[in-house]
Amino acid sequence: MAARLLPDGAGPVTAVFAGLLTKVGVYAIIRTETLLFPLHTVDTILLTAAGLTMLIGIFGALAQVEIKRMLSFTLISHIGYMIFGIALNTTEGLAATIFYTAHHITIQATLFLVTGLIERRGGTSSLEGLGGLLKVAPCSRSCSSFPP
């Protein structure tokens, strides 16, 4: 569902959706798992759902050419990582999930904002149409990991 909602929105709105609102489900699962299922009876279901979410999300991202759609699918995959941490049923797994959720809120919002900047400067968010972006926006070289 996130892949259908996020790509067509405006940059700042998409960043808020990607950063905050998609993590509400993770929070709900944390609360449900720790309060309603203290005997950890749903761990196998959560592990299976997490694995499928990770695989479907990353394979979906590989098939995309639009940057926002690609980020949306990787967001789905990373939610699978968070669910996996919950399903481990350890203090470390839950702590890692909480830390990674907070980390992912910041990073995902920033990535969508940067995608908005790329779309504004390049005129498109399609990977096929972004050839020559360095000529239009020379400062974009500092965003890459390649030396000049």
Side-chain angles (χ1 to χ4, degrees):
M1 179 153 173
R4 294 187 78 207
L5 291 176
L6 296 177
D8 298 329
V13 174
T14 305
V16 170
F17 273 112
L20 294 173
L21 296 180
T22 57
K23 307 312 180 291
V24 173
V26 174
Y27 174 74
I29 291 173
I30 290 173
R31 298 293 293 179
T32 303
E33 175 72 13
T34 56
L35 295 176
L36 296 179
F37 299 105
L39 299 176
H40 308 295
T41 56
V42 294
D43 294 337
T44 307
I45 296 169
L46 280 179
L47 282 171
T48 305
L52 288 173
T53 304
M54 287 186 268
L55 290 174
I56 290 169
I58 206 63
F59 285 131
L62 288 172
Q64 303 304 315
V65 294
E66 293 282 329
I67 298 174
K68 285 184 182 179
R69 290 188 68 84
M70 189 181 304
L71 287 175
S72 296
F73 275 102
T74 60
L75 182 142
I76 292 169
S77 177
H78 286 260
I79 288 176
Y81 291 121
M82 295 173 207
I83 302 302
F84 185 79
I86 296 168
L88 289 178
N89 270 334
T90 61
T91 305
E92 293 84 4
L94 190 59
T97 298
I98 293 169
F99 174 77
Y100 189 68
T101 302
H103 167 266
H104 197 262
I105 289 169
T106 307
I107 297 300
Q108 197 71 21
T110 304
L111 285 172
F112 272 99
L113 289 173
V114 168
T115 300
L117 290 173
I118 290 172
E119 189 173 15
R120 178 174 284 182
R121 294 301 297 231
T124 182
S125 64
S126 172
L127 293 175
E128 297 166 343
L130 285 174
L133 184 63
L134 189 60
K135 294 176 187 168
V136 177
C139 65
S140 64
R141 174 160 317 264
S142 65
C143 295
S144 72
S145 60
F146 300 110

PDB file of all heavy atoms in Angstrom, residues 75-91:
ATOM      1  N   LEU A  75      11.326   0.988   1.494  1.00  0.00           N
ATOM      2  CA  LEU A  75      10.681   1.251   2.775  1.00  0.00           C
ATOM      3  C   LEU A  75       9.903   0.024   3.229  1.00  0.00           C
ATOM      4  O   LEU A  75       9.967  -0.371   4.394  1.00  0.00           O
ATOM      5  CB  LEU A  75       9.744   2.455   2.623  1.00  0.00           C
ATOM      6  CG  LEU A  75       9.017   2.921   3.866  1.00  0.00           C
ATOM      7  CD1 LEU A  75       8.956   4.430   3.866  1.00  0.00           C
ATOM      8  CD2 LEU A  75       7.627   2.356   3.925  1.00  0.00           C
ATOM      9  N   ILE A  76       9.187  -0.602   2.306  1.00  0.00           N
ATOM     10  CA  ILE A  76       8.445  -1.826   2.632  1.00  0.00           C
ATOM     11  C   ILE A  76       9.409  -2.914   3.108  1.00  0.00           C
ATOM     12  O   ILE A  76       9.166  -3.595   4.094  1.00  0.00           O
ATOM     13  CB  ILE A  76       7.631  -2.295   1.413  1.00  0.00           C
ATOM     14  CG1 ILE A  76       6.512  -1.303   1.124  1.00  0.00           C
ATOM     15  CG2 ILE A  76       7.060  -3.698   1.636  1.00  0.00           C
ATOM     16  CD1 ILE A  76       5.818  -1.522  -0.198  1.00  0.00           C
ATOM     17  N   SER A  77      10.524  -3.045   2.417  1.00  0.00           N
ATOM     18  CA  SER A  77      11.522  -4.048   2.797  1.00  0.00           C
ATOM     19  C   SER A  77      12.076  -3.771   4.199  1.00  0.00           C
ATOM     20  O   SER A  77      12.235  -4.687   5.006  1.00  0.00           O
ATOM     21  CB  SER A  77      12.649  -4.055   1.765  1.00  0.00           C
ATOM     22  OG  SER A  77      13.647  -4.963   2.141  1.00  0.00           O
ATOM     23  N   HIS A  78      12.339  -2.509   4.491  1.00  0.00           N
ATOM     24  CA  HIS A  78      12.912  -2.175   5.796  1.00  0.00           C
ATOM     25  C   HIS A  78      11.904  -2.346   6.921  1.00  0.00           C
ATOM     26  O   HIS A  78      12.298  -2.634   8.056  1.00  0.00           O
ATOM     27  CB  HIS A  78      13.478  -0.757   5.766  1.00  0.00           C
ATOM     28  CG  HIS A  78      14.752  -0.680   5.000  1.00  0.00           C
ATOM     29  ND1 HIS A  78      15.972  -0.667   5.606  1.00  0.00           N
ATOM     30  CD2 HIS A  78      15.002  -0.661   3.671  1.00  0.00           C
ATOM     31  CE1 HIS A  78      16.924  -0.617   4.680  1.00  0.00           C
ATOM     32  NE2 HIS A  78      16.347  -0.623   3.498  1.00  0.00           N
ATOM     33  N   ILE A  79      10.634  -2.175   6.633  1.00  0.00           N
ATOM     34  CA  ILE A  79       9.622  -2.482   7.645  1.00  0.00           C
ATOM     35  C   ILE A  79       9.675  -3.974   7.963  1.00  0.00           C
ATOM     36  O   ILE A  79       9.492  -4.381   9.105  1.00  0.00           O
ATOM     37  CB  ILE A  79       8.227  -2.014   7.188  1.00  0.00           C
ATOM     38  CG1 ILE A  79       8.172  -0.494   7.252  1.00  0.00           C
ATOM     39  CG2 ILE A  79       7.132  -2.628   8.052  1.00  0.00           C
ATOM     40  CD1 ILE A  79       6.909   0.127   6.750  1.00  0.00           C
ATOM     41  N   GLY A  80       9.970  -4.794   6.961  1.00  0.00           N
ATOM     42  CA  GLY A  80      10.166  -6.218   7.205  1.00  0.00           C
ATOM     43  C   GLY A  80      11.313  -6.478   8.170  1.00  0.00           C
ATOM     44  O   GLY A  80      11.224  -7.360   9.037  1.00  0.00           O
ATOM     45  N   TYR A  81      12.407  -5.704   8.050  1.00  0.00           N
ATOM     46  CA  TYR A  81      13.520  -5.844   8.995  1.00  0.00           C
ATOM     47  C   TYR A  81      13.071  -5.497  10.420  1.00  0.00           C
ATOM     48  O   TYR A  81      13.481  -6.142  11.387  1.00  0.00           O
ATOM     49  CB  TYR A  81      14.695  -4.940   8.603  1.00  0.00           C
ATOM     50  CG  TYR A  81      15.399  -5.348   7.348  1.00  0.00           C
ATOM     51  CD1 TYR A  81      15.491  -4.476   6.272  1.00  0.00           C
ATOM     52  CD2 TYR A  81      15.983  -6.597   7.227  1.00  0.00           C
ATOM     53  CE1 TYR A  81      16.145  -4.845   5.108  1.00  0.00           C
ATOM     54  CE2 TYR A  81      16.636  -6.972   6.076  1.00  0.00           C
ATOM     55  CZ  TYR A  81      16.714  -6.093   5.022  1.00  0.00           C
ATOM     56  OH  TYR A  81      17.358  -6.453   3.877  1.00  0.00           O
ATOM     57  N   MET A  82      12.254  -4.459  10.532  1.00  0.00           N
ATOM     58  CA  MET A  82      11.779  -4.061  11.858  1.00  0.00           C
ATOM     59  C   MET A  82      10.889  -5.142  12.468  1.00  0.00           C
ATOM     60  O   MET A  82      11.017  -5.460  13.655  1.00  0.00           O
ATOM     61  CB  MET A  82      11.020  -2.735  11.754  1.00  0.00           C
ATOM     62  CG  MET A  82      11.891  -1.575  11.334  1.00  0.00           C
ATOM     63  SD  MET A  82      10.892  -0.116  11.031  1.00  0.00           S
ATOM     64  CE  MET A  82      11.925   0.745   9.849  1.00  0.00           C
ATOM     65  N   ILE A  83      10.002  -5.716  11.659  1.00  0.00           N
ATOM     66  CA  ILE A  83       9.129  -6.785  12.139  1.00  0.00           C
ATOM     67  C   ILE A  83       9.959  -8.014  12.522  1.00  0.00           C
ATOM     68  O   ILE A  83       9.670  -8.697  13.507  1.00  0.00           O
ATOM     69  CB  ILE A  83       8.079  -7.154  11.070  1.00  0.00           C
ATOM     70  CG1 ILE A  83       7.239  -5.932  10.690  1.00  0.00           C
ATOM     71  CG2 ILE A  83       7.177  -8.294  11.540  1.00  0.00           C
ATOM     72  CD1 ILE A  83       6.503  -5.288  11.813  1.00  0.00           C
ATOM     73  N   PHE A  84      11.014  -8.275  11.773  1.00  0.00           N
ATOM     74  CA  PHE A  84      11.908  -9.384  12.088  1.00  0.00           C
ATOM     75  C   PHE A  84      12.528  -9.199  13.473  1.00  0.00           C
ATOM     76  O   PHE A  84      12.624 -10.146  14.254  1.00  0.00           O
ATOM     77  CB  PHE A  84      12.994  -9.493  11.008  1.00  0.00           C
ATOM     78  CG  PHE A  84      13.884 -10.683  11.175  1.00  0.00           C
ATOM     79  CD1 PHE A  84      13.461 -11.941  10.773  1.00  0.00           C
ATOM     80  CD2 PHE A  84      15.145 -10.555  11.722  1.00  0.00           C
ATOM     81  CE1 PHE A  84      14.282 -13.047  10.917  1.00  0.00           C
ATOM     82  CE2 PHE A  84      15.975 -11.650  11.872  1.00  0.00           C
ATOM     83  CZ  PHE A  84      15.536 -12.901  11.472  1.00  0.00           C
ATOM     84  N   GLY A  85      12.948  -7.978  13.778  1.00  0.00           N
ATOM     85  CA  GLY A  85      13.513  -7.700  15.102  1.00  0.00           C
ATOM     86  C   GLY A  85      12.518  -7.939  16.217  1.00  0.00           C
ATOM     87  O   GLY A  85      12.874  -8.437  17.284  1.00  0.00           O
ATOM     88  N   ILE A  86      11.257  -7.596  15.973  1.00  0.00           N
ATOM     89  CA  ILE A  86      10.209  -7.839  16.976  1.00  0.00           C
ATOM     90  C   ILE A  86      10.010  -9.338  17.166  1.00  0.00           C
ATOM     91  O   ILE A  86       9.880  -9.833  18.279  1.00  0.00           O
ATOM     92  CB  ILE A  86       8.891  -7.171  16.540  1.00  0.00           C
ATOM     93  CG1 ILE A  86       9.051  -5.654  16.492  1.00  0.00           C
ATOM     94  CG2 ILE A  86       7.758  -7.552  17.486  1.00  0.00           C
ATOM     95  CD1 ILE A  86       7.910  -4.941  15.804  1.00  0.00           C
ATOM     96  N   ALA A  87       9.994 -10.069  16.060  1.00  0.00           N
ATOM     97  CA  ALA A  87       9.701 -11.503  16.102  1.00  0.00           C
ATOM     98  C   ALA A  87      10.828 -12.315  16.737  1.00  0.00           C
ATOM     99  O   ALA A  87      10.608 -13.472  17.101  1.00  0.00           O
ATOM    100  CB  ALA A  87       9.428 -12.017  14.692  1.00  0.00           C
ATOM    101  N   LEU A  88      12.005 -11.748  16.888  1.00  0.00           N
ATOM    102  CA  LEU A  88      13.107 -12.487  17.518  1.00  0.00           C
ATOM    103  C   LEU A  88      12.853 -12.764  18.996  1.00  0.00           C
ATOM    104  O   LEU A  88      13.445 -13.674  19.561  1.00  0.00           O
ATOM    105  CB  LEU A  88      14.420 -11.723  17.355  1.00  0.00           C
ATOM    106  CG  LEU A  88      15.003 -11.690  15.950  1.00  0.00           C
ATOM    107  CD1 LEU A  88      16.275 -10.849  15.921  1.00  0.00           C
ATOM    108  CD2 LEU A  88      15.279 -13.088  15.439  1.00  0.00           C
ATOM    109  N   ASN A  89      12.012 -11.954  19.618  1.00  0.00           N
ATOM    110  CA  ASN A  89      11.645 -12.149  21.018  1.00  0.00           C
ATOM    111  C   ASN A  89      12.800 -12.039  21.992  1.00  0.00           C
ATOM    112  O   ASN A  89      12.873 -12.772  22.970  1.00  0.00           O
ATOM    113  CB  ASN A  89      10.977 -13.503  21.231  1.00  0.00           C
ATOM    114  CG  ASN A  89       9.508 -13.405  21.062  1.00  0.00           C
ATOM    115  OD1 ASN A  89       8.960 -12.341  21.268  1.00  0.00           O
ATOM    116  ND2 ASN A  89       8.888 -14.485  20.678  1.00  0.00           N
ATOM    117  N   THR A  90      13.706 -11.173  21.711  1.00  0.00           N
ATOM    118  CA  THR A  90      14.792 -10.921  22.650  1.00  0.00           C
ATOM    119  C   THR A  90      14.801  -9.442  22.985  1.00  0.00           C
ATOM    120  O   THR A  90      14.263  -8.615  22.248  1.00  0.00           O
ATOM    121  CB  THR A  90      16.153 -11.305  22.048  1.00  0.00           C
ATOM    122  OG1 THR A  90      16.398 -10.515  20.888  1.00  0.00           O
ATOM    123  CG2 THR A  90      16.196 -12.781  21.680  1.00  0.00           C
ATOM    124  N   THR A  91      15.416  -9.123  24.100  1.00  0.00           N
ATOM    125  CA  THR A  91      15.551  -7.723  24.473  1.00  0.00           C
ATOM    126  C   THR A  91      16.372  -6.982  23.434  1.00  0.00           C
ATOM    127  O   THR A  91      16.061  -5.841  23.077  1.00  0.00           O
ATOM    128  CB  THR A  91      16.228  -7.618  25.857  1.00  0.00           C
ATOM    129  OG1 THR A  91      15.486  -8.393  26.789  1.00  0.00           O
ATOM    130  CG2 THR A  91      16.294  -6.189  26.326  1.00  0.00           C
TER     131      THR A  91
END
